[in-house]
């Protein structure tokens, strides 16, 4: 059977996922994940990414049906028309014309956007948010941020930056420095680096026997803290509880402000333990202003294997009028 499909690309901080997905949200080939081949302190070479995409584009061209274009999900700020990567911190990209390079190389239409917006589209079109009209996609990983879907529409705000809850200030006097250049942002209490930092402190003060065993060369990672908690380590459990508690305060603020019906949680930290969404769900209600909000609010985990990747395909279909949002 011939189908309508798109090539979906999701460029994250350390890896790039590529999939061929049709208008029903079915992958036509097993999605492939490439670690991005460069160090952490110099700008990533866009040519290297194009070379990784080449075999995927060739494979998509061999599938019978119509290849409608390339959906480009990028972890950063990207111009949705030109595909110019305005700022992609993890790749050290500033004003890299990546979208044009992809279009010129493969001669296909491109549909670029930031990964959180793509993730919202994936969940709305094929995932957990299909019935929702007021919801937030929230990612808790290296950072802490949200993207909003309000009144049945994507909501980006004036500059497309709406939903940056992680950079609301909690303590600008004694807080930790944040990646945004300021101090004491909510993200510095919630995201992966905060958990690793607290785990490191527990190791150094000798309060966590499990982290003592897990640490490699005296270093604790976020994943190790989750692992220590799963091993029954009380210090690790307290660290994770504290991070979830701070995330909950931020999320409750979002629900009190916007009267949301659903929050979908994704990102590496939210995937750190299987009961993460339930733990948020249990704690959030006591911060909500109305009983109605408490009754109707649902907290779910990401429902697609990679919402941003599926969303990159959904964006192609929505912008070409093949799939309608409502
Ligand atoms: Zn910040």
């Amino acid at each position: 059977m011939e189908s309508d499909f798109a090539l979906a690309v999701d460029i994250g901080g350390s890896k790039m996922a590529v999939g061929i997905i049709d208008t029903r949200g079915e992958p036509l080939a097993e999605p492939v994940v490439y670690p991005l081949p460069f160090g952490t302190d110099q700008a990533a070479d866009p040519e290297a990414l194009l070379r990784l995409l080449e075999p995927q584009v060739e494979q998509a061209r061999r599938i019978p049906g119509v290849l409608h274009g390339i959906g480009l999900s990028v972890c950063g700020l990207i111009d949705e028309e030109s595909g110019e990567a305005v700022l992609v911190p993890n790749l050290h990209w500033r004003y890299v014309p990546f979208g044009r390079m992809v279009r010129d190389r493969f001669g296909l239409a491109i549909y670029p956007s930031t990964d959180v917006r793509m993730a919202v589209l994936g969940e709305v079109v094929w995932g957990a948010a299909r019935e929702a009209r007021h919801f937030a996609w929230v990612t808790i990983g290296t950072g802490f941020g949200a993207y909003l879907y309000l009144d049945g529409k994507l909501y980006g705000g004036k500059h497309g930056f709406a939903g940056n809850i992680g950079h609301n200030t909690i303590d600008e006097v004694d807080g930790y420095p944040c990646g945004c250049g300021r101090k004491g942002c909510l993200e510095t209490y919630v995201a992966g680096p905060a958990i690793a930092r607290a785990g490191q402190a527990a190791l150094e003060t000798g309060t966590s026997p499990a982290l003592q065993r897990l640490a490699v060369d005296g270093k604790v990672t976020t994943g190790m803290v989750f692992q220590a908690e799963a091993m029954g380590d009380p210090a690790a459990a307290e660290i994770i509880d504290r991070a979830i508690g701070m995330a909950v305060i931020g999320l409750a603020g979002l629900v009190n402000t916007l009267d949301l019906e659903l929050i979908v949680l994704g990102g590496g930290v939210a995937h750190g333990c299987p009961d993460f969404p339930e733990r948020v769900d249990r704690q959030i209600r006591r911060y909500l202003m109305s009983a109605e909000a408490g009754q109707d609010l649902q907290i779910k985990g990401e429902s697609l294997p990679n919402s941003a990747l599926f969303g990159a395909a959904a964006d192609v279909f929505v912008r070409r009028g093949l799939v309608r949002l409502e």
Side-chain angles (χ1 to χ4, degrees):
M1 194 184 73
E2 300 211 339
S3 46
D4 292 290
F5 56 93
L7 189 80
V9 179
D10 176 40
I11 300 173
S14 57
K15 52 191 189 310
M16 174 169 79
V18 187
I20 302 166
I21 296 166
D22 74 8
T23 45
R24 297 162 308 162
E26 298 293 337
L28 301 182
E30 189 64 33
V32 187
V33 179
Y34 301 98
L36 292 181
F38 35 74
T40 47
D41 24 347
Q42 50 185 338
D45 176 10
E47 272 298 325
L49 270 68
L50 293 177
R51 279 196 295 276
L52 292 175
L53 282 177
E54 233 156 51
Q56 302 299 319
V57 174
E58 284 319 308
Q59 187 187 6
R61 288 193 208 275
R62 287 195 298 270
I63 295 176
V66 183
L67 171 56
H68 284 274
I70 302 180
L72 273 182
S73 159
V74 175
C75 174
L77 305 178
I78 186 158
D79 186 296
E80 284 174 14
E81 295 310 316
S82 69
E84 178 164 60
V86 174
L87 175 62
V88 183
N90 293 323
L91 306 184
H92 302 280
W93 281 3
R94 251 189 175 284
Y95 299 106
V96 174
F98 187 64
R100 182 168 51 74
M101 295 172 77
V102 173
R103 196 179 52 225
D104 290 353
R105 174 71 66 98
F106 302 116
L108 289 163
I110 52 145
Y111 300 88
S113 193
T114 177
D115 57 352
V116 282
R117 178 179 169 279
M118 293 299 202
V120 167
L121 277 171
E123 294 290 346
V124 164
V125 173
W126 296 310
R130 254 172 305 177
E131 309 291 316
R133 288 185 55 82
H134 312 279
F135 103 96
W137 159 265
V138 172
T139 174
I140 311 179
T142 322
F144 179 39
Y147 203 93
L148 303 168
Y149 187 78
L150 302 176
D151 255 333
K153 290 190 210 64
L154 289 157
Y155 180 82
K158 179 170 168 63
H159 306 95
F161 303 160
N164 269 306
I165 47 171
H167 299 286
N168 289 341
T169 305
I170 299 295
D171 184 350
E172 69 174 331
V173 179
D174 297 318
Y176 291 95
C178 181
C180 72
R182 291 183 298 119
K183 226 172 126 182
C185 294
L186 181 56
E187 178 172 300
T188 67
Y189 298 85
V190 169
I195 294 171
R197 184 187 64 225
Q200 191 68 38
L203 174 80
E204 282 160 18
T205 52
T207 51
S208 167
L211 287 174
Q212 222 97 43
R213 285 209 296 282
L214 293 167
V216 176
D217 297 331
K219 288 273 169 278
V220 173
T221 63
T222 310
M224 287 173 191
V225 182
F226 278 106
Q227 228 179 315
E229 188 197 42
M231 290 158 66
D233 186 87
E238 199 191 313
I239 292 167
I240 306 284
D241 272 338
R242 215 180 312 135
I244 290 179
M246 290 301 282
V248 158
I249 288 173
L251 296 176
L254 211 53
V255 176
N256 286 332
T257 309
L258 299 170
D259 195 8
L260 302 174
E261 63 192 291
L262 169 68
I263 291 173
V264 179
L265 294 167
V269 169
H271 287 290
C273 55
D275 60 348
F276 197 98
E278 285 94 288
R279 289 164 79 172
V280 170
D281 196 302
R282 270 202 304 277
Q283 290 191 41
I284 196 168
R285 287 168 218 278
R286 68 192 170 102
Y287 297 103
L288 299 181
M289 196 203 60
S290 76
E292 287 81 359
Q295 232 160 50
D296 293 336
L297 177 67
Q298 289 186 285
I299 308 287
K300 295 182 182 174
E302 181 176 17
S303 70
L304 299 163
N306 172 346
S307 303
L309 182 70
F310 280 77
D315 197 28
V316 174
F317 304 138
V318 168
R319 290 212 241 173
R320 289 183 75 97
L322 292 161
V323 165
R324 290 172 58 85
L325 277 184
E326 288 183 87

